[in-house]
Amino acid sequence: MVTVTSATSTKPALLPLISCGSGTGNMITLGCFATGFTPSSLTFSWNKNGAALSDFIQYPPVQKDNLFTAVSQVRVTKQDWDAKEAFQCVVTHVAGNDNVIITKIEPQIIFPNITLHPVWKGKFRTSAVTLVCTLSGFFPDTLSVKWQRDNQPLNTVQIDRKLQSVEENTFSLSSEIEPNMTEWHKGSSFSCNSMHNSIELKQSISICEIHESTPPSIKVETPSFKTVMMAKSIVKATCLVHTVYDATVTWLMDDKPASSNQVTQATYSTHIISNLIVSFSDWKKLKFLKCKAEHRCFTSNEHIVKVSGPAVTPPSVEIRRSLPDILSGDRAVLECHITQLSSTYLYVNFQANNSDISEQFFDLLEAPGPHSLRRCFTVPQNYWNNDISFTCKVNQGFSSVFPSKSIGNIFVDPSVELLLVPGEESGQQTLVCSGWGFNPQIKWLPESQQRTPPTTDISVAADGRVAVTSQLRVNQTEWKTGKVFSCEVSDRSLNKNVRKDISLCSVTPPSCQIVGVYVQGPSVQELQSNGRVTIACLLVGPRLNDFSITWKVGGKQYSLNVQTQPPVSHSNGTESLRSFLNLSAEDWHAYKRVSCEGKHKCSNQSYDDHISKSKELHPPTVKIIQPTVFELSTSDVLTLVCLVSGFFPSNIMVYWEKNGHRLTLTHYTNSPAWKYTESSTYSMSSRLNTSQTEDQESTYSCVVTHESSEMPFKSSIKDVFATVTPTQPSATLLQGSGELVCLVFGFSPASINITWFLDDTKELLDYNTSEPHRGPDGKFSIQSRLRLSQSNWLPGAIHTCRVTHTTITLALNISKPEMLGDCSFLDDIMHADINQDIGVESWYMAFTFLLFFLISVVYGVLATLIKIK
């Protein structure tokens, strides 16, 4: 039916309607409510997920205040509803269409907030406690509460109270229990468990959360050593545990638990006091004592104390003789010196051969820092035996025993040692006499007459023996006479004495009484002057001031014209001394025997050497050793060696000259003369240093003077560095029988290269080149021979000898003439064509070079023969 009206149209508003119940069977009724529309004509339609539904009812519109309201219902399966399928209600109206989607909406669930806290009925933390579990702000109200202790069901009375908030439409519940106080103080955990909408909620609490869980401090107090010694019956130890928990306190003695009848305990709000009772006999055997506190709320803690005596550090115990007592006349007093002692009680025992002969008890005051103790004991005379040792033993606590090292054999016979202190030869000699024993005393007896010593020292050694030292200073003159000095050590307590003697000869070992004597004849200059000659005597050995020197000429002692020098000390500990005898030339040339004798004051044996003019003279051979090319080229400084050999006697003079001028001794070094085994002549060498920068082609001469000749012997060398001084070579090309010879000479250094060419292009290989030969002037020469063949020795063919040197390159040419008859050697030279880098020389120059080359070869052969000889 269609109603036409002229009033204004109003669009409907849609509201979904959902059944509050569970529906009938498997069906659910849904509704759609349209309101506030006009005109009344309106149509409803339903669909599920876009598919149209037909099983619905539409009720007629109802008018109120000129507006209409209409309702439509549809029945759907509970399966689709629970599956949250989307059902759409669509309304059609002239003022406008509208729709609404209806889907199952789950009811809102609010989980509770759970808290658990203790409530004390009286004094805080000490009275009985009630545990209150509060669950607030939850929905729906289906909730249960159960209590547990240590995760086990708790069978106790619980009081539950439930409240509802009207404004928030939520619920609250509180549950209370009174836990067992024993379990509570032990630290058991109490839990409030709640189940809401299949979700479990849990909150736990224990006394451990109320107080701090740090381990408590434990202090164990044990009685002092003095208290234990005075008690003699029972000993009490106390353990103080600072804790608010009801902790379990246990005692362990050497890791063994104490019995319950030995322990008493008192528990307070902030601490626990536990006392342990131990018998005196068990306490002395006890080593360690432990007090241990345990509780669930903290990690167990313990305190261990050492009972076996007070806590002490090992003292230093020393038994010795007291020097002040010895000086005062108490010779048999032993002192026990104890250092690094702790503040404690102790026993001190003196023992003889490990048996107690004295015992004392000391009470040291309690004071900071280590202590020292000194106790003296007089040894009875019946213990004055050498086989008795004495010990000081310190006892601290019940088991701490600290004995000293034994001191024994203090009642011994005296001993003596007499020594000479090394000193200056010119000063006083110091004699040191040392005596040891029980009570030694020193006196000096030089030459059986008592003398008062200048200084005397006395000390006590660690072994208890007394050491006495006395020094006596003796004038050097008196000592050198060989006088005997005596030191006597006596002991009046034991009625014993001992004596030792000392003198110059007793302290001089036999090795110091041996001396080496070497005699050297006059110099060559003196022999040539025909005046007086000087004979030198060299003594080598230790302490030469104690030796005497005696000269003899022709077997007779000679004391005139003798000069002796002071000894000279050397780094190896020896000394050397020179004595000179000025002898007339007549006695020397008369072949008289001259001897020098050295003898020590304390020895009967003498050592001598002699010399006389030789009747058989051997002249020296002088030769300068030519330096090698390697030596010349590797260093700017060169050492020339002059070898002088085959001369007799050994007196010789060698010096060097440069260009005829004598060089000073600073330029060269001469070796001593030596003689080979089974040889009757002497040899020596001299070394001269020269440098290439200062040489300047100088001539060096080694000059030797010997009494075998009035004229000096000389060997010379000129231009030492000529071999390595760069010099351009000279060359000539010669023709022989079937060969060409290329002669190169006068060059240095020796490195050179010679090659052969035909017509300046083709290299010829059938040649032989000699090694460079060094001439007397230090320059080198070389030759190369090319064998000629009919194939290459043709008229007009040019043969070239090419010489390559660091200083220059030479090219020497020769060719065969068109008509070649019988030509001589000089004809070959005349037809030779010599080309150089610097110009072309004439054949006259070639002839001159050839002549010089022949002369140098002859000279070189002669020099070689002389050197080989």
Side-chain angles (χ1 to χ4, degrees):
M1 179 181 65
V2 179
T3 303
V4 179
T5 179
S6 60
T8 304
S9 298
T10 304
K11 180 182 178 180
L14 287 181
L15 295 174
L17 298 176
I18 302 173
S19 175
C20 294
S22 58
T24 303
N26 294 326
M27 301 302 290
I28 298 294
T29 300
L30 304 178
C32 187
F33 181 70
T35 182
F37 61 91
T38 186
S40 63
S41 177
L42 180 142
T43 302
F44 287 95
S45 63
W46 293 83
N47 65 73
K48 182 186 74 172
N49 296 330
L53 298 176
S54 59
D55 188 13
F56 67 91
I57 301 174
Q58 179 174 339
Y59 296 94
V62 178
Q63 184 178 3
K64 183 180 180 180
D65 297 334
N66 297 324
L67 295 175
F68 293 90
T69 302
V71 176
S72 177
Q73 294 181 349
V74 67
R75 290 172 61 82
V76 299
T77 63
K78 187 176 182 180
Q79 181 179 359
D80 290 342
W81 179 251
D82 290 338
K84 296 183 180 181
E85 296 285 351
F87 298 93
Q88 185 180 29
C89 173
V90 180
V91 63
T92 304
H93 190 265
V94 295
N97 301 330
D98 199 1
N99 68 85
V100 64
I101 297 176
I102 305 174
T103 304
K104 182 180 180 180
I105 300 175
E106 296 290 344
Q108 183 180 8
I109 299 175
I110 304 175
F111 293 101
N113 294 324
I114 182 170
T115 60
L116 181 58
H117 59 273
V119 177
W120 284 267
K121 294 182 178 181
K123 190 175 180 180
F124 177 65
R125 295 184 179 178
T126 58
S127 61
V129 68
T130 299
L131 301 180
V132 180
C133 179
T134 303
L135 297 99
S136 60
F138 60 90
F139 182 88
D141 65 342
T142 55
L143 183 143
S144 61
V145 176
K146 294 182 180 180
W147 289 85
Q148 290 182 333
R149 185 188 69 209
D150 295 332
N151 296 323
Q152 298 297 323
L154 181 62
N155 186 15
T156 185
V157 177
Q158 66 182 61
I159 302 173
D160 295 340
R161 297 182 181 88
K162 183 182 290 186
L163 299 175
Q164 182 178 5
S165 173
V166 178
E167 296 178 355
E168 300 179 358
N169 195 25
T170 58
F171 298 89
S172 298
L173 184 143
S174 66
S175 181
E176 301 179 4
I177 64 169
E178 292 184 0
N180 183 283
M181 295 308 295
T182 302
E183 297 295 335
W184 173 257
H185 287 299
K186 285 184 178 179
S188 297
S189 176
F190 292 85
S191 303
C192 174
N193 298 337
S194 173
M195 185 67 67
H196 180 261
N197 198 41
S198 302
I199 300 300
E200 183 180 5
L201 303 173
K202 184 177 181 179
Q203 187 70 28
S204 301
I205 194 171
S206 70
I207 194 174
C208 301
E209 301 175 17
I210 309 301
H211 307 287
E212 294 182 0
S213 297
T214 57
S217 63
I218 301 176
K219 182 179 180 182
V220 177
E221 297 179 353
T222 57
S224 63
F225 180 72
K226 180 179 179 181
T227 303
V228 175
M229 295 302 296
M230 293 179 63
K232 296 293 184 181
S233 56
I234 60 173
V235 181
K236 183 177 75 171
T238 302
C239 180
L240 177 60
V241 182
H242 291 275
T243 181
V244 296
Y245 296 108
D246 187 14
T248 301
V249 180
T250 55
W251 289 90
L252 291 94
M253 298 186 297
D254 292 337
D255 294 330
K256 295 181 180 179
S259 61
S260 58
N261 58 358
Q262 292 180 280
V263 180
T264 60
Q265 182 171 313
T267 304
Y268 301 93
S269 60
T270 58
H271 60 278
I272 301 173
I273 298 178
S274 180
N275 295 318
L276 175 66
I277 305 300
V278 184
S279 65
F280 176 74
S281 58
D282 291 340
W283 185 267
K284 290 195 299 180
K285 300 175 184 178
L286 194 59
K287 295 182 179 178
F288 296 96
L289 186 64
K290 179 191 297 184
C291 177
K292 185 176 183 180
E294 298 175 291
H295 194 270
R296 295 179 62 175
C297 295
F298 57 77
T299 306
S300 63
N301 196 13
E302 62 186 26
H303 186 198
I304 303 174
V305 294
K306 185 178 180 181
V307 180
S308 55
V312 297
T313 57
S316 174
V317 184
E318 181 184 6
I319 187 170
R320 61 191 183 187
R321 295 180 67 187
S322 174
L323 182 60
D325 293 332
I326 295 174
L327 297 177
S328 63
D330 297 332
R331 307 297 181 184
V333 175
L334 297 180
E335 175 187 84
C336 185
H337 189 219
I338 310 168
T339 57
Q340 300 297 321
L341 272 173
S342 302
S343 300
T344 182
Y345 297 85
L346 67 151
Y347 289 97
V348 178
N349 294 344
F350 283 97
Q351 294 182 330
N353 289 344
N354 298 322
S355 297
D356 293 344
I357 57 177
S358 175
E359 180 180 275
Q360 297 177 352
F361 178 78
F362 296 95
D363 183 2
L364 297 181
L365 297 176
E366 293 288 343
H371 301 275
S372 299
L373 185 67
R374 175 180 176 268
R375 299 302 299 172
C376 295
F377 171 73
T378 302
V379 181
Q381 193 165 3
N382 58 319
Y383 288 99
W384 287 20
N385 297 323
N386 291 339
D387 56 351
I388 295 180
S389 61
F390 300 92
T391 308
C392 175
K393 186 171 68 173
V394 177
N395 301 269
Q396 288 185 285
F398 302 111
S399 59
S400 299
V401 180
F402 306 98
S404 68
K405 292 183 179 180
S406 298
I407 182 174
N409 297 327
I410 60 176
F411 301 97
V412 295
D413 295 341
S415 59
V416 64
E417 188 67 38
L418 187 55
L419 302 173
L420 172 67
V421 178
E424 298 292 337
E425 290 290 338
S426 59
Q428 289 184 328
Q429 293 293 336
T430 301
L431 306 180
V432 178
C433 179
S434 301
W436 297 270
F438 175 65
N439 182 25
Q441 295 179 344
I442 291 179
K443 63 179 179 180
W444 292 89
L445 299 171
E447 296 293 336
S448 301
Q449 294 181 1
Q450 184 171 353
R451 177 183 298 189
T452 303
T455 57
T456 301
D457 298 325
I458 183 171
S459 61
V460 180
D463 58 1
R465 301 182 186 182
V466 177
V468 183
T469 303
S470 179
Q471 294 184 0
L472 181 66
R473 290 179 173 81
V474 181
N475 185 274
Q476 185 69 229
T477 304
E478 185 180 9
W479 174 256
K480 289 297 184 179
T481 60
K483 183 184 293 186
V484 178
F485 295 85
S486 302
C487 178
E488 182 180 88
V489 177
S490 60
D491 191 332
R492 290 178 295 179
S493 301
L494 303 179
N495 196 22
K496 301 282 183 156
N497 61 74
V498 64
R499 170 178 172 175
K500 269 195 174 182
D501 300 330
I502 192 172
S503 65
L504 172 65
C505 295
S506 66
V507 299
T508 304
S511 59
C512 293
Q513 300 178 15
I514 301 174
V515 68
V517 182
Y518 309 93
V519 176
Q520 186 176 11
S523 64
V524 177
Q525 297 92 324
E526 290 181 331
L527 294 176
Q528 293 176 349
S529 64
N530 292 324
R532 300 186 68 85
V533 297
T534 301
I535 311 298
C537 178
L538 174 66
L539 271 65
V540 180
R543 305 176 187 176
L544 295 182
N545 278 331
D546 296 333
F547 286 84
S548 61
I549 298 178
T550 303
W551 286 93
K552 292 183 179 179
V553 179
K556 296 181 180 180
Q557 187 170 340
Y558 198 94
S559 58
L560 298 176
N561 300 319
V562 175
Q563 181 183 2
T564 303
Q565 297 178 348
V568 177
S569 300
H570 303 286
S571 59
N572 60 356
T574 62
E575 295 179 350
S576 60
L577 181 148
R578 293 181 180 273
S579 181
F580 301 95
L581 172 64
N582 193 256
L583 186 68
S584 64
E586 292 79 3
D587 290 338
W588 176 256
H589 292 301
Y591 302 101
K592 289 185 178 181
R593 175 172 174 170
V594 180
S595 63
C596 177
E597 177 185 280
K599 182 179 179 184
H600 195 274
K601 296 179 180 180
C602 302
S603 176
N604 295 325
Q605 182 178 357
S606 60
Y607 303 88
D608 64 353
D609 190 16
H610 57 84
I611 193 173
S612 61
K613 182 179 179 180
S614 177
K615 297 181 180 180
E616 182 179 359
L617 302 177
H618 294 275
T621 299
V622 184
K623 177 183 178 182
I624 296 179
I625 299 176
Q626 186 78 21
T628 64
V629 176
F630 176 78
E631 293 174 339
L632 292 169
S633 59
T634 54
S635 175
D636 180 69
V637 179
L638 178 68
T639 300
L640 297 179
V641 180
C642 177
L643 182 61
V644 185
S645 59
F647 59 91
F648 186 87
S650 61
N651 288 343
I652 198 168
M653 183 175 65
V654 179
Y655 60 91
W656 288 82
E657 291 181 350
K658 179 178 180 181
N659 296 330
H661 299 284
R662 184 169 179 172
L663 297 176
T664 61
L665 290 174
T666 57
H667 290 79
Y668 59 90
T669 303
N670 293 336
S671 72
W674 71 81
K675 184 166 61 174
Y676 292 105
T677 305
E678 298 180 358
S679 175
S680 59
T681 60
Y682 291 88
S683 300
M684 62 88 64
S685 64
S686 181
R687 295 176 177 269
L688 172 68
N689 291 332
T690 181
S691 66
Q692 185 174 1
T693 56
E694 300 177 359
D695 179 66
Q696 300 175 352
E697 302 182 1
S698 301
T699 299
Y700 295 94
S701 301
C702 177
V703 184
V704 178
T705 303
H706 189 258
E707 62 180 287
S708 60
S709 173
E710 294 183 357
M711 297 298 295
F713 302 88
K714 181 184 293 188
S715 177
S716 301
I717 184 173
K718 182 180 180 182
D719 196 4
V720 179
F721 295 94
T723 305
V724 294
T725 302
T727 304
Q728 294 181 359
S730 298
T732 184
L733 185 59
L734 307 176
Q735 179 183 349
S737 177
E739 65 177 1
L740 296 179
V741 180
C742 186
L743 303 178
V744 185
F745 47 90
F747 62 90
S748 63
S751 177
I752 198 168
N753 185 35
I754 299 177
T755 53
W756 293 87
F757 292 91
L758 177 62
D759 295 332
D760 203 30
T761 57
K762 181 180 179 180
E763 184 177 359
L764 303 176
L765 303 177
D766 192 13
Y767 65 91
N768 184 18
T769 303
S770 66
E771 293 294 329
H773 174 73
R774 178 178 175 179
D777 59 352
K779 302 303 178 181
F780 294 91
S781 60
I782 192 172
Q783 63 179 356
S784 180
R785 298 176 178 270
L786 174 67
R787 285 180 287 275
L788 298 175
S789 63
Q790 295 180 357
S791 61
N792 56 32
W793 185 244
L794 300 174
I798 300 175
H799 290 70
T800 303
C801 173
R802 184 174 298 170
V803 180
T804 303
H805 191 258
T806 56
T807 58
I808 196 173
T809 298
L810 305 177
L812 287 79
N813 298 331
I814 190 172
S815 61
K816 183 177 181 181
E818 295 293 337
M819 297 297 295
L820 183 62
D822 294 335
C823 56
S824 64
F825 181 75
L826 294 179
D827 293 334
D828 292 334
I829 296 179
M830 293 177 63
H831 288 88
D833 183 15
I834 303 175
N835 296 327
Q836 302 183 23
D837 292 346
I838 59 175
V840 180
E841 297 184 2
S842 65
W843 71 274
Y844 298 105
M845 184 62 68
F847 182 80
T848 304
F849 285 159
L850 176 62
L851 181 61
F852 286 158
F853 174 74
L854 294 176
I855 295 174
S856 64
V857 170
V858 174
Y859 183 83
V861 172
L862 294 176
T864 303
L865 293 176
I866 294 174
K867 291 174 66 176
I868 294 175
K869 183 179 180 180

